Amino acid sequence: MMKIQRPANAGETDIELARTPNEKPRVPNEDTLDPTDWAKFRQFAHAALDHCIDYISSVRDRAVWQPVPDDTKSFFKGPVPYEPTALKQVLEECRNRIMPYSTGNIHPRFFGWVHGAGTPVGIISEMLSATMNSNCGGRDHGAIYVERQVIEWCREIFGLPEGSSGVLTVGTSMASVIAISAARSRQLGPRARQDGNSSDCGLVGYCSSEVHVALRKAFELLGLGGAHLRAIPTDADFTISIEQLSAAIKADRAAGLEPFLVIGTAGTVNTGAYDDLNEIAEVATREGLWFHVDGAFGAWARIADHPWKEMVRGIERADSLAFDFHKWISVPYDAGCVLVRDARAHRAAFAERPDYLASGVSGLAAGDPWPCDYGIDLSRGFRALKVWMAMRHYGIDQLGRMVTKNCQAASYLGSMIKNSDLFELAAPVSLNICCFRQKRRVTPEADDRLILQLVEQLQLSGVAAPSTARIKNRLCVRVAILNHRTGWDDLDLLIKSAEENLRRIV
Ligand SMILES: *Cc1c(COP(=O)(O)O)cnc(C)c1O
């Protein structure tokens, strides 16, 4: 290594900076992270892509899920890799240590939680967006136009008026934070950002007791307080009781509090229930509340056939709508969106441009709006590409057909459960979710334990991966169908395997 003479007055400055003008830096110019041999890189890249295509086209032949073995777990406790590793070896590690242990949601018999399946086209779009490596916080470049296009398409699909704003997010959780922040901004004005919620802040919001935890977290994160999001009891069909909603608003006003927001869920996570969005919209209008809709997966029933598309009636009346692309329309993780009717309130909640973010009239710093004016993230990836490619390639009608197919599958499964000697439905099947439990009851604790055991065994067997839900305080097997690959045979196999496992346990 070249010894650099440290000038007497170098003070605290880095020794690397203290070189004579003609001296070249220690790291040679041609030292970059690019390959030295592009042809070889191309071979590796093609092989990796081939592996991905093999992997996805043969998914049905593999177990839905398998536990991560101990030696793999220890492999991921390795030391910091200061030295390089050959690409060939790193790719092998991906292939052998990582890819076999996926969540399983690309498999047609993955039924757990609310997971999207992805698509082969998603593989390509992720590769293209990684190649461009666009930063989508703002400025004037192609990716921004793609994002605006996607937002416009969604605005039209969900029936919000022209001039509404929107931004792509990680998912519905962040979309909810943004929406509630915009609602607060409308309620409090500039005070919302300047002073925050003062200690006597009386803002309260409303949702049903079936609301997703993401909304409560958003309340907590915004400092509104989880208790200030009132969980209104549901009617027998798991939808918010409008009577009790109105009563709660009245009681809070009488107590001197300031109701500002009501949340409707379009597709609850437990049973896929839809709050009556039109009725909530009426309440919101009457009471002057911001009407937010959580449509994480359920909003997409809008593009399905009758009767499912009717379930989202009233969604077009939302002041804000949060939904995911990565759940029901199979865009690879992660991709969500928030749409806001009052673009000014949305912008008021987030826009702020210090000098280093000033926009220009022309040139790269031009263009408006910038996504960073509508959310928290400044540096943002090119999420919009995978959404745009999915919509453009498959078409909304075809994506809608997959939603319809999943609902039909859930209803098929529901009818099989009704005919089963061992199982019964835990809730009516109204969408793509079917919850069931054993007919034979012992004690509530023993019944719950049995459900846990059954679900675990199904997962460990690799045949199917449902999850559980608690409905009317009793645990049940929950099968959520969001995968475009799931066919009727997969459900036959699920039932057969569930019955066999149950017989073995009891
Ligand atoms: C999944 C889900 C959320 C949270 O969305 P993320 O994309 O996981 O952040 C919120 N609400 C409902 C109804 C959901 O299903």
Side-chain angles (χ1 to χ4, degrees), residues 71 94 106 180 190 284 286 288 304 325 348 354 366 376 412 429 473 492 495:
D71 70 319
C94 291
I106 64 173
I180 295 169
R286 193 176 65 228
F325 300 107
I376 294 292
Y412 172 72
V429 178
N473 210 23
D492 293 340
I495 289 287

Side-chain angles (χ1 to χ4, degrees), residues 196-211:
N197 313 316
S198 50
S199 58
D200 60 348
C201 172
L203 295 186
V204 278
Y206 306 85
C207 60
S208 91
S209 53
E210 292 287 303
V211 81

Side-chain angles (χ1 to χ4, degrees), residues 258-274:
E258 191 176 341
F260 81 113
L261 167 83
V262 59
I263 297 165
T265 301
T268 61
V269 69
N270 275 334
T271 66
Y274 284 77

Side-chain angles (χ1 to χ4, degrees), residues 474-493:
R474 293 196 44 208
L475 217 55
C476 60
V477 181
R478 176 173 163 291
V479 174
I481 307 171
L482 288 95
N483 192 321
H484 53 93
R485 302 186 176 102
T486 306
W488 320 133
D489 292 355
D490 293 308
L491 301 169
D492 293 340
L493 195 55

Side-chain angles (χ1 to χ4, degrees), residues 7-294:
N9 63 349
E12 311 299 323
T13 55
D14 188 345
I15 193 159
E16 287 294 319
L17 297 176
R19 55 183 126 74
T20 57
N22 294 331
E23 218 171 349
K24 288 274 185 351
R26 184 171 57 85
V27 176
N29 207 17
E30 47 289 351
D31 191 11
T32 74
L33 297 179
D34 286 335
T36 43
D37 182 348
W38 282 98
K40 207 161 163 200
F41 175 79
R42 187 184 300 272
Q43 273 176 13
F44 282 130
H46 283 185
L49 179 58
D50 277 339
H51 177 60
C52 291
I53 296 169
D54 290 344
Y55 184 89
I56 201 150
S57 60
S58 63
V59 61
R60 191 175 273 282
D61 307 333
R62 290 194 299 274
V64 177
W65 172 83
Q66 55 176 332
V68 181
D70 286 341
D71 70 319
T72 300
K73 287 182 187 163
S74 7
F75 175 77
F76 287 107
K77 288 182 179 151
V80 179
Y82 288 106
E83 297 297 320
T85 308
L87 182 57
K88 186 170 191 289
Q89 185 179 334
V90 177
L91 285 170
E92 259 162 35
E93 287 165 0
C94 291
R95 200 175 164 142
N96 301 325
R97 300 285 194 182
I98 303 174
M99 292 185 77
Y101 311 110
S102 64
T103 325
N105 47 316
I106 64 173
H107 195 287
R109 287 190 300 281
F110 183 94
F111 303 118
W113 305 275
V114 183
H115 281 24
T119 65
V121 161
I123 300 173
I124 304 177
S125 49
E126 290 286 60
M127 189 174 73
L128 301 186
S129 61
T131 305
M132 289 179 74
N133 194 30
S134 299
N135 184 340
C136 295
R139 308 189 176 83
D140 197 13
H141 53 104
I144 298 293
Y145 292 86
V146 178
E147 179 158 349
R148 285 189 202 138
Q149 171 74 97
V150 165
I151 290 165
E152 265 309 285
W153 283 343
C154 293
R155 181 194 64 69
E156 188 174 319
I157 290 167
F158 294 114
L160 266 74
E162 268 179 50
S164 302
S165 52
V167 72
L168 298 200
T169 61
V170 177
T172 292
S173 299
M174 181 47 91
S176 309
V177 172
I178 294 173
I180 295 169
S181 191
R184 179 176 61 174
S185 166
R186 188 181 74 174
Q187 186 72 18
L188 299 180
R191 192 151 63 90
R193 290 180 73 173
Q194 198 66 34
D195 306 325
N197 313 316
S198 50
S199 58
D200 60 348
C201 172
L203 295 186
V204 278
Y206 306 85
C207 60
S208 91
S209 53
E210 292 287 303
V211 81
H212 194 279
V213 66
L215 280 304
R216 190 165 308 285
K217 283 197 198 175
F219 256 65
E220 291 165 6
L221 184 66
L222 291 168
L224 294 162
H228 283 204
L229 179 60
R230 309 276 197 238
I232 306 298
T234 57
D235 291 330
D237 58 357
F238 303 100
T239 66
I240 190 167
S241 158
I242 297 293
E243 226 167 80
Q244 302 216 39
L245 169 64
S246 302
I249 297 170
K250 199 168 164 201
D252 282 331
R253 283 208 203 282
L257 296 167
E258 191 176 341
F260 81 113
L261 167 83
V262 59
I263 297 165
T265 301
T268 61
V269 69
N270 275 334
T271 66
Y274 284 77
D275 287 332
D276 189 328
L277 303 179
N278 273 318
E279 290 219 34
I280 299 179
E282 293 297 324
V283 174
T285 308
R286 193 176 65 228
E287 300 281 350
L289 310 183
W290 180 287
F291 175 32
H292 174 71
V293 174
D294 175 5

